[in-house]
Amino acid sequence: MCGIVGYTGKNPAKDILFRNLQKLEYRGYDSAGIALQTADGLQVVRRLGKVANLVQASADTDPTSTCGIAHTRWATHGRPSEANAHPHRSCDNKVAVCHNGIVENYAELRERLVAEGHTFRSETDTEVVAHLVEKYYRGDLLSAARAAVREMIGAFGLVIMHADEPGTIVVARKDSPIVIGQGKDGCYVASDVIAVAEATRDVVVLEDYQFAKLTPEGMSFCNGDGQTIEPEHMRVDWEIDETERGNWPDFMLKEIHEQPRVVRDTLKGRMVNGLLSIDELELTPDELGFIDRVYVIACGTSYHAGLIAKDLIENWARIPTEVEVASEFRYRNPIITPSTLVVAVSQSGETADTLAAIRDARIRGAKVFGITNVIGSRIARESDGVIYTKAKKEVAVASTKSFIGQVVSLTLLAMLLAQSKNRLNTAQIRVLFRELADTAGQIEEILSDTKAIEAAAHDCADAQSALYIGRGLASTVCYEGALKLKEISYVHAEAYAAGEMKHGPIALLHEGFPVVAVATQSPIYDKTLSNIEESKARGAKIVAVATEGDDQIGKYADHVLFIPKVRDAFMPITASVVLQLFARAIAVERGCDVDQPRNLAKSVTVE
Ligand code: F6R
């Protein structure tokens, strides 16, 4: 949440900062700002809206400046406006600060600073940092930053400059990601590795309460007491062009089309000599056999992947499984014992609530296993074991390929648990694995002809609301499908277990109201069909996701979107792809920004 970049070196800073900031726009795009070190002090430009507006507004800034910081904002404290855009400055305009996170005690700090004579110019929590640094500055920015951080409660990734220290950027972090690297031409800092990786593949991921000082000559690190430290370095091993859109109209469509590859990569190396292998779990077969309760903790789309896992783990391994949104779990008093396995699912690996929940679970004695897409992310580092989903960088704010990676990874976990409980034998596991692998080709089949999906989307594009219904695993697919629709097209969409319709939601139906029904072949297909009939009888427009060869469904549905025949357990993998394409097609019809929907950000690093 919020993107931060900084550069100090031999080259002009402005273009480097803008290029890198644009890579972080997925973290927020309410406003953007830049501060450059110049011979006349700090030059600051801020604009409402996307980075492109800022680039335009910065045409006259100093092209020779070789040190600067910049920010793209997702508003927490203070509405999106130019005054609330970062960087924020001290009263004397000598300190500039960009911040990602929340300073929780900002109100109290602000009151004190105002009483001491400081004048505030924004409604943000961040501005207190600029004034604190000003207050403690005695000719050494690093010491002033350490003193300021001592007063702050909350989460922060900070980059700070002082007009009296040309070429210097001071960096601090607690609970918000910060990555630093030294390239050939200078030092780079950002809140995501993609904005540093072009300059260097050797990066430092700052830990909580570690500080860095960047100058054109190099970088140094210290702890809160000012003692020099040598932080861990990490190697970035993916290709930069994976984050380019190429000829695709948007990242979301590109990423949807990458899903067959994600399935294949996630499964690669998992079947060794006919046996399922997830070494990263770091649990012996005995320890696995000991597990008697599973909690899946996640948010948003990742939570929906967890709902699918519940069904599979309970069905195959017969282990009671709870799925909880992390923001609730962390404030409850969940029943955790040493035989509880907590599985944290997070694309970004940095979602604040999920991170807090696993910290709490570990304190309570659970083994925590992470499923994430980001190597070296906080959740990966703080889990006892981790599966990486192999989706590679996901740029579109709406998750697609990472969701499929999560579902496939969780399916493997469910199979492993079933294997360790002797609920599935080796032959059964092999059959399941083969069928799971087949879903890659089935997704390709869906992607090869999307005309029916586009026609259905065209027919529903003017709707204000939609209902998604399904039973069993199909209902979980509906939750995810409805989330996709509302987040990128702003059509109000709700998902219900189809049997619940007559307990309330059916009152919403009227002539032409879209009902998306996932009615694939399963033992409860006929029940879903009855619910479709009930909706149809009330004038609803039915868009059905059904299994190829179903010759009944056409009698009830206005549009039928077929998926290849697949075992019910794996149906969410293919049916979800149809609903991703459906949501995207509606968003495109409505002229929405598919990749960067309003009010959202890809990484949610605040509570
Ligand atoms: C929706 C979406 C979000 C995320 C949620 C959790 O398309 O992407 O709902 O799933 O914010 O994020 P992660 O998975 O990074 O913890």
Side-chain angles (χ1 to χ4, degrees), residues 23-196:
K23 293 180 190 158
L24 299 189
E25 234 179 353
Y26 70 88
R27 301 182 72 89
Y29 28 82
D30 294 335
S31 62
I34 185 169
L36 295 167
Q37 288 266 9
T38 75
D40 302 323
L42 300 181
Q43 195 171 33
V44 173
V45 182
R46 303 179 297 177
R47 281 297 177 272
L48 199 56
K50 298 196 175 177
V51 175
N53 295 354
L54 177 70
V55 173
Q56 222 176 15
S58 304
D60 293 336
T61 51
D62 186 350
T64 63
S65 166
T66 54
C67 176
I69 57 178
H71 187 267
T72 177
R73 179 170 187 244
W74 186 86
T76 58
H77 292 60
R79 68 200 158 84
S81 71
E82 208 166 295
N84 289 335
H86 301 215
H88 289 285
R89 277 167 294 173
S90 52
C91 301
D92 61 6
N93 287 330
K94 286 194 165 187
V95 180
V97 175
C98 293
H99 168 220
N100 170 24
I102 291 181
V103 182
E104 285 168 9
N105 59 337
Y106 86 100
E108 177 200 323
L109 291 171
R110 182 177 173 132
E111 208 177 301
R112 237 177 46 213
L113 287 158
V114 168
E116 289 167 11
H118 290 261
T119 306
F120 279 74
R121 292 176 272 190
S122 77
E123 303 157 310
T124 65
D125 53 333
T126 304
E127 197 182 339
V128 296
V129 185
H131 293 284
L132 281 173
V133 172
E134 177 178 42
K135 171 179 167 176
Y136 290 116
Y137 190 74
R138 307 275 182 278
D140 178 23
L141 180 58
L142 181 57
S143 305
R146 284 182 16 242
V149 161
R150 269 198 290 275
E151 304 229 1
M152 289 160 49
I153 299 171
F156 44 84
L158 292 167
V159 288
I160 313 170
M161 293 195 306
H162 196 289
D164 293 348
E165 297 189 32
T168 298
I169 299 172
V170 165
V171 187
R173 94 151 248 171
K174 184 194 166 253
D175 286 341
S176 290
I178 285 284
V179 181
I180 296 170
Q182 184 170 2
K184 287 195 188 78
D185 61 323
C187 290
Y188 293 75
V189 54
S191 39
D192 186 321
V193 69
I194 48 164
V196 174

Side-chain angles (χ1 to χ4, degrees), residues 299-302 346-348 351 397-399 484 487 604:
C299 304
T301 287
S302 303
S346 172
Q347 185 285 128
S348 61
T351 298
V397 165
S399 291
K484 285 288 91 86
E487 69 181 327
V604 184

